[in-house]
Amino acid sequence: VTEDTMRKRLILALTAVFMLAASTALAAPSEVRIGFIGPTTGTFAGFGKMMTEGAILALEEADYKVAGVPVKFIVEDNRLDNELSVTKAKKLDEQDKADVITGLVSGSTGLSVHDWATKSGVPVVYAYSAPEDITMRKAIKNSIRPTWTGAQPMDPFGYWLAKHKGLKKIYMIGEDYSYPYTQAGGFKRGFFRGGGEEVKTIWHPTGTDDFSSIIAQIPAKGYDAVLYNGAGSDAVSFVKQYVEFGMLDKVPLLGQSN
């Protein structure tokens, strides 16, 4: 995902935030408070930085006002931690009196806050967190997604690879949490629908620096391609090591939406 695309999505997300915030302005006309949760440290710090910059850009374009009411923007770092994300959401709600909460990058942190929002009733706009459950199987009235689900782009990609490129077997390596699970689910649906036969999945924890043992286990024959299903610094490390170990000359490498 390019920085320009990320910025456009965040502006769209903040527009949805403004719509929610405008409704709360009737109860608190002197100020609208927007709480923003995202990782500004750790593996996905780059995503958190882009989200924050995009949100600030949208607020600046709106002159930090919605429906004529001043907006206060409160940023919290969740360090990509599920429990900390809920703690930050509670803090924004109970201490900062946020009218709406937005941000959230990873699928797992988004789902954790979503479970909290189900009980608290606080409006949440998910700027990037993309598990299907948030707006499908676990949909609630106070949660809004202005962007995608992780499965959406992967379904046609999988279908195209099988139907039009003739790939039958894929060796997938991905980060062990909800967003890559969603990506894998979408890919498999499309791949098998297009005539694919097998998708073998290998999972690793986020924040992995050394992929040598994982790459060493990739069969040199038997699979049409390797698909890396991860993002952030993990994706950079994996691709660099895949090339350095000479695997790119043996098995083609595919990427997912990030």
Side-chain angles (χ1 to χ4, degrees), residues 171 173 202 209-220 226 228 234 236-248 250-251 253:
Y171 194 92
I173 299 170
I202 306 296
D209 297 320
D210 185 359
F211 288 95
S212 57
S213 62
I214 294 175
I215 293 174
Q217 295 177 37
I218 299 173
V226 169
Y228 182 70
D234 285 351
V236 175
S237 296
F238 180 86
V239 173
K240 288 176 65 177
Q241 292 171 43
Y242 193 84
V243 174
E244 290 169 357
F245 289 131
M247 285 300 297
L248 195 60
K250 301 175 182 178
V251 187
L253 179 63

Side-chain angles (χ1 to χ4, degrees), residues 1-3 5-6 9 44 47 50 105 128-132 147-158 161 172-175 177 179-189 226-232 235 239 253-258:
V1 177
T2 65
E3 186 168 352
T5 300
M6 178 75 81
R9 287 176 177 167
F44 284 5
F47 286 101
M50 285 190 285
V105 169
Y128 195 73
S129 181
E132 288 184 321
T147 57
W148 62 359
T149 72
Q152 285 175 321
M154 295 302 286
D155 183 297
F157 181 46
L161 288 172
M172 181 187 293
I173 299 170
E175 293 168 319
Y177 76 100
Y179 177 73
Y181 301 161
T182 303
Q183 292 260 286
F187 181 84
K188 289 179 180 181
R189 285 201 300 262
V226 169
L227 190 155
Y228 182 70
N229 183 7
V239 173
L253 179 63
L254 307 172
Q256 42 84 291
S257 302
N258 288 320

Side-chain angles (χ1 to χ4, degrees), residues 44-199:
F44 284 5
F47 286 101
K49 179 182 178 182
M50 285 190 285
M51 282 207 320
T52 306
E53 290 176 347
I56 291 173
L57 174 62
L59 288 166
E60 288 176 345
E61 291 180 347
D63 196 26
Y64 278 84
K65 293 181 179 179
V66 54
V69 179
V71 173
K72 182 176 182 179
F73 188 55
I74 308 161
V75 179
E76 294 288 346
D77 178 16
N78 64 356
R79 300 199 295 271
L80 208 69
D81 181 271
N82 297 345
E83 187 175 341
L84 182 59
S85 297
V86 175
T87 299
K88 295 292 188 179
K90 290 180 178 178
K91 182 259 185 186
L92 289 167
D93 176 34
E94 298 170 5
Q95 296 182 30
D96 299 309
K97 307 300 181 184
D99 298 295
V100 61
I101 292 174
T102 187
L104 298 162
V105 169
S106 79
S108 295
T109 57
L111 282 171
S112 296
V113 171
H114 182 73
D115 290 341
W116 168 80
T118 301
K119 300 174 182 177
S120 70
V122 174
V124 181
V125 177
Y126 299 88
Y128 195 73
S129 181
E132 288 184 321
D133 280 350
I134 288 176
T135 45
M136 291 176 65
R137 289 168 286 273
K138 294 184 178 181
I140 55 176
K141 292 182 179 179
N142 53 303
S143 286
I144 294 176
R145 165 179 283 125
T147 57
W148 62 359
T149 72
Q152 285 175 321
M154 295 302 286
D155 183 297
F157 181 46
Y159 179 83
W160 177 76
L161 288 172
K163 184 71 174 180
H164 299 287
K165 302 301 289 184
L167 276 59
K168 297 296 182 183
K169 296 185 177 183
I170 300 293
Y171 194 92
M172 181 187 293
I173 299 170
E175 293 168 319
D176 192 6
Y177 76 100
S178 61
Y179 177 73
Y181 301 161
T182 303
Q183 292 260 286
F187 181 84
K188 289 179 180 181
R189 285 201 300 262
F191 189 68
F192 294 139
R193 190 174 70 253
E197 298 174 358
E198 180 186 350
V199 178

